[in-house]
Structure formats: C-alpha cells, structure tokens
Amino acid sequence: MSRRICLVANKKSGQNSRDADAIERALAAMGDGAMRFDWDASDPIDDTVARVLTEEPEIVVAAGGDGTVMAVAGAMLGKGVPMAVLPLGTFNFFARGLGLSEEPEQAAAEILEGHPHDIRIGQVNGQAFLNNASLGIYPAILRERETVYSRWGRFRAAAHWSVLKTFAKFRKPMKMTITADGESSTRRSALVFVARSAYQLERFGIEGSDAIDDDRFAVLVARASTRRQLFAMTFRLTIGKPLRGRDYDLLTPRELTIETGDKRALLAFDGEKARTRGPFHFRMAEAPLTIILPDTEAPNPTE
C-alpha cells in the first residue's frame, strides 16, 4: 500500500544535479504516494509547511543539509505529524545522529520502516536549532566559509580552510555575562558553543552527551584567548582529544542567557547565521518534534 509522504526540498537543490538526482531516487523508492514540495529560502518556511500539511501526509521529509532540516523542524514543532530526514548536505550531523544512511534509496527504506519518536529541540530567541547554536569565532568561520564556498565550491576541505583564514584574523575574545539556570558569571571567551547533538559532541571527543540525553544543553565556553591557543584547541578537537578545564569549561543548564557588550552579535545556528539583537535566551522548545527513527532491521534496497 502506497504511503502519503510529502518531501520538502530547498529550491536550490533542484539546481544541483547531485541533490536533484538523490531526491528523485528517494522519491521513487518511497512509492507513488510520495510528492515533492520546493521551498525558496527567501520565503517563510511556515508557509511551505502549512501548504504541505493540507495534503494530510503520514510523514513530512526534510531533504537537505542541517540548515534545511532545522528550518523544517522549527515549522513542524507540535504539529503531530512525524518528520523524517533525507540527508543531502555537507556534514549532516542531525541525520547521522539519528543513524540515517546518506544513500538515497537506503535512507528512503529507513524512513518507510522507521518509527516515530518525540524529541526536544533547542531554541535561541525563538529560533529553533537541532545541533548547536553559538556566539564568537564559529559564526565568523561560517561567514568566511560562504566566501570560500562561493569561490571553490561546497567541499569539506574548503570548510576547513575557512577555519584557518578566520583564526588568522582573530584579535581578542569577547566579554560576556552568562546566566545558566539562574547563576551568573562574567567571562572572556572566543567562543560559546551551545550543543544539542550528542553525536556531534562524541565525534569530537567532547564531554556533555549525558546532558543532551537529560534534555539539557551542553554549553562549551572556550578557554582559548589567543590565535595560538585556538589552533592548539582545534588540533586537539581534530584528533578527538580536547580536555575539559584546559580547552573548555562545560555548563549543563536547562536555560541559558548570554549578554554581550554589543547590541547585536553574529549568531550561528545549525550552520546558518544571522546578526541578532541580544541578550540571547536559550531554552527547550515547549512543543515536541516527532521524528522518524530508523529501525536497525530496515531493508537495504541495494542488496
């Protein structure tokens, strides 16, 4: 029996031959009841999701990288319709954390055979995020990454090069007041990284996955205050051996507020970025997100 599935894809994916092919292969594997809806990132995602939900789908599939998945997830909060992910992006931390294949037909099979599960996702000033949100040097890296991507293409090597270029421009850490579950402290740091992805933390050897499982944030406050220290910290992250107390301090609050000296600061969330007015309030979304988790017994269509 054909299932009613609506796949939401960033319109730009249709202009990318690799992504367009992956979407078509996944749609074919999902059956005759699967249909595609294109979303233009310049338009509100809520409008596209509202149009999708008029089709009364059994599952809404977000096709894209972490940024697209984050946008669809924010619009799907509390809707009661399960959401699935077809990973198409560069890193796909959220999809990997769910255990999804990056092969289109296999991912489609995992979606069809999977089961719904409610999760809690983070919000910063009302903006949903699935993996992380941050202030400081990481948003600056994302800004530099877009410049590098526009010249060399969206490759992981280009992403790593943007890190080096950003560090070379680094001058001094930012001053901020952090209030975690009501307790305040003033700090100077090059980076505050607010994580909601246990997979991402474990991949880099960072502590805090227990907090994620307990519906709390894992907040990393970098101790590096010079370019040399940033390079050293990044090297230890690359080899999966960062040290708490040397490279970062760890906070595990349910709610967090960060105040910086600037009225606006560059905020990153799941690979996207925006210059946003502070203070920055982090909390768990009140409504759950119903996500499709793959079953380990899902058939492999290539076998």
Side-chain angles (χ1 to χ4, degrees):
M1 180 179 177
S2 181
R3 301 182 67 181
R4 198 168 186 81
I5 298 175
C6 291
L7 182 147
V8 179
N10 191 315
K11 193 174 182 179
K12 290 183 179 179
S13 295
Q15 301 164 4
N16 180 313
S17 59
R18 184 187 64 180
D19 287 355
D21 177 66
I23 291 171
E24 291 305 314
R25 288 161 59 191
L27 284 171
M30 290 175 187
D32 295 338
M35 61 191 83
R36 173 176 174 166
F37 290 77
D38 282 329
W39 165 54
D40 189 323
S42 63
D43 297 329
I45 185 62
D46 288 338
D47 293 349
T48 300
V49 168
R51 181 161 54 93
V52 166
L53 293 178
T54 63
E55 299 290 339
E56 299 183 351
E58 295 177 54
I59 302 173
V60 173
V61 179
D66 286 321
T68 298
V69 175
M70 171 268 295
V72 175
M76 289 291 294
L77 282 173
K79 295 298 191 293
V81 178
M83 173 186 151
V85 179
L86 177 67
L88 299 177
T90 306
F91 294 103
N92 297 317
F93 286 124
F94 185 68
R96 291 182 184 183
L98 297 177
L100 283 164
S101 171
E102 293 186 90
E103 291 298 321
E105 290 88 353
Q106 178 63 16
E110 290 167 347
I111 289 168
L112 293 173
E113 299 295 327
H115 61 277
H117 176 74
D118 284 352
I119 64 172
R120 301 289 301 280
I121 69 173
Q123 290 183 320
V124 50
N125 291 4
Q127 168 66 56
F129 64 95
L130 300 169
N131 298 309
N132 61 73
S134 60
L135 293 162
I137 199 164
Y138 185 63
I141 289 170
L142 294 182
R143 181 172 55 192
E144 184 65 42
R145 182 193 296 177
E146 290 305 313
T147 301
V148 174
Y149 277 171
S150 65
R151 182 173 182 181
W152 301 107
R154 302 180 73 85
F155 300 103
R156 291 186 186 183
H160 297 322
W161 175 240
S162 66
V163 174
L164 299 178
K165 291 189 68 177
T166 305
F167 283 4
K169 299 176 183 178
F170 177 75
R171 292 293 178 268
K172 62 180 181 179
M174 59 184 176
K175 183 178 180 180
M176 70 197 81
T177 299
I178 300 177
T179 303
D181 287 342
E183 295 188 11
S184 298
S185 61
T186 299
R187 300 168 180 253
R188 287 189 179 273
S189 176
L191 170 68
V192 178
F193 188 87
V194 183
R196 274 298 298 158
S197 168
Y199 170 84
Q200 194 173 25
L201 293 176
E202 291 166 358
R203 181 176 182 270
F204 290 103
I206 299 171
E207 295 181 40
S209 58
D210 290 347
I212 306 299
D213 295 338
D214 193 34
D215 283 341
R216 290 178 285 138
F217 295 107
V219 182
L220 281 63
V221 183
R223 287 200 160 199
S225 59
T226 67
R227 274 177 286 193
R228 182 177 179 178
Q229 290 171 343
L230 283 170
F231 277 115
M233 180 184 72
T234 302
F235 173 74
R236 287 190 287 270
L237 282 171
T238 302
I239 63 175
K241 294 183 178 180
L243 287 181
R244 179 178 175 180
R246 180 180 66 179
D247 293 315
Y248 65 91
D249 293 323
L250 177 66
L251 308 174
T252 57
R254 295 189 187 278
E255 292 194 29
L256 177 76
T257 300
I258 300 175
E259 299 175 78
T260 67
D262 299 324
K263 291 183 179 179
R264 290 181 178 271
L266 195 61
L267 172 73
F269 41 92
D270 287 350
E272 304 297 318
K273 63 189 182 306
R275 189 160 292 281
T276 306
R277 181 178 294 276
F280 300 92
H281 300 288
F282 295 81
R283 55 177 296 184
M284 294 297 166
E286 293 183 5
L289 176 68
T290 304
I291 197 78
I292 294 291
L293 295 179
D295 290 330
T296 54
E297 296 82 8
N300 187 335
T302 63
E303 294 180 349

